[in-house]
Amino acid sequence: MKVLVVAAHPDDEVLGCGGTISRLAHDGHDVYITILGEGITSRYKQREDADADLIEALHNRSCQVAEVLGAQDLFLYNLPDNRFDTVPILDVVKIIEELVERIQPQVIYTHHGGDLNIDHVVVHRAMLTAARPMQGQPVREIFAFEVPSSTEWSFQRFEPSFRPNVFIDISDTLNIKVQALSLYETEARPFPHPRSPEAIHAIAHRWGTIVGCEAAEAFELIRSIQ
Ligand SMILES: [Zn+2]
């Protein structure tokens, strides 16, 4: 099986489905990771003020993370951080369309449309367009993941709210997820931030308790064609 992960920012791929990527790769599936945004430039007043070396270092980290998770390949793009809504959505659609055409994935994991972060919302929307089920569309299933500090921080004010109905047991790969996340030093936050290692453990265990395993990642099935 070929799986495409479409993430907005460096670290979303780990936060959203890092344990699942690792498990799928271990089970012999080909997982491809795409990160559409350059990351971190929103922390500067002007996008141009951001240190190019820092952005490159972050991209290098993404490569290491992809390797740790066992991904087959990684595709990096440079959409402006937290400003995806300033890019024509058609441009975002075309990037994803081209990837789908090239990789021919049967499954896509991506952001949820009810997130607080605007880039996540744009990616969800663009992905739905890029993977619309016309004849010849390889994508059979689309799953939306949660990103701690974005999905829950919309407080169900934006429709639709995240309603997970698919759970993947990551008991064996939770440690790899946390290890991969630790490579993104610039994105690290101390507990009780939702992206801290302690919180990542807590969230995985919480989902695990709901479905009778030690640790899980939660997804919302957006569409399935069988
Ligand atoms: Zn993000």
Side-chain angles (χ1 to χ4, degrees):
M1 187 171 70
K2 285 182 177 176
V3 178
L4 176 62
V5 176
V6 185
H9 311 113
D11 81 354
D12 286 338
E13 79 284 25
V14 186
L15 292 165
C17 57
T20 298
I21 294 173
S22 179
R23 185 179 152 179
L24 288 170
H26 190 261
D27 290 348
H29 301 294
D30 294 339
V31 186
Y32 299 83
I33 299 174
T34 306
I35 299 172
L36 295 170
E38 62 203 352
I40 69 168
T41 55
S42 65
R43 293 176 201 171
Y44 300 82
K45 239 184 183 160
Q46 302 281 336
R47 186 183 171 207
E48 296 70 34
D49 295 343
D51 190 337
D53 291 344
L54 264 181
I55 295 175
E56 201 193 316
L58 193 55
H59 280 186
N60 287 337
R61 290 292 171 167
S62 298
C63 297
Q64 291 174 26
V65 164
E67 211 172 296
V68 166
L69 295 179
Q72 191 77 13
D73 211 345
L74 169 73
F75 304 94
L76 296 171
Y77 295 85
N78 281 301
L79 296 182
D81 189 41
N82 278 295
R83 298 183 177 99
F84 283 20
D85 54 335
T86 64
V87 178
I89 193 153
L90 185 61
D91 294 357
V92 188
V93 170
K94 281 188 183 301
I95 293 173
I96 304 172
E97 262 180 353
E98 199 251 330
L99 280 165
V100 167
E101 178 67 29
R102 195 180 343 165
I103 296 165
Q104 297 283 307
Q106 288 91 51
V107 180
I108 286 183
Y109 287 89
T110 194
H111 290 283
H112 191 262
D115 277 16
L116 179 61
N117 187 285
I118 191 69
D119 296 352
H120 296 180
V121 177
V122 170
V123 169
H124 182 84
R125 179 98 200 228
M127 178 281 308
L128 274 182
T129 307
R132 60 201 181 282
M134 293 181 302
Q135 197 175 29
Q137 171 60 250
V139 179
R140 302 280 95 191
E141 284 181 318
I142 299 171
F143 298 100
F145 51 66
E146 64 168 346
V147 173
S149 78
S150 181
T151 309
E152 78 282 31
W153 280 2
S154 69
F155 295 101
Q156 293 91 47
R157 298 299 96 184
F158 308 131
E159 288 298 323
S161 54
F162 184 60
R163 291 192 288 185
N165 52 7
V166 175
F167 300 85
I168 297 191
D169 185 339
I170 61 160
S171 305
D172 293 335
T173 55
L174 175 58
N175 285 336
I176 293 171
K177 173 175 179 150
V178 174
Q179 184 201 337
L181 194 64
S182 71
L183 291 167
Y184 284 124
E185 291 144 345
T186 54
E187 311 305 300
R189 301 286 180 277
F191 186 79
H193 194 284
R195 296 206 305 265
S196 63
E198 294 90 338
I200 297 305
H201 273 279
I203 292 164
H205 291 312
R206 150 90 174 139
W207 289 129
T209 64
I210 291 176
V211 293
C213 62
E214 207 177 298
E217 279 171 340
F219 303 92
E220 189 174 320
L221 175 66
I222 302 299
R223 186 191 88 199
S224 177
I225 306 168
Q226 302 299 338

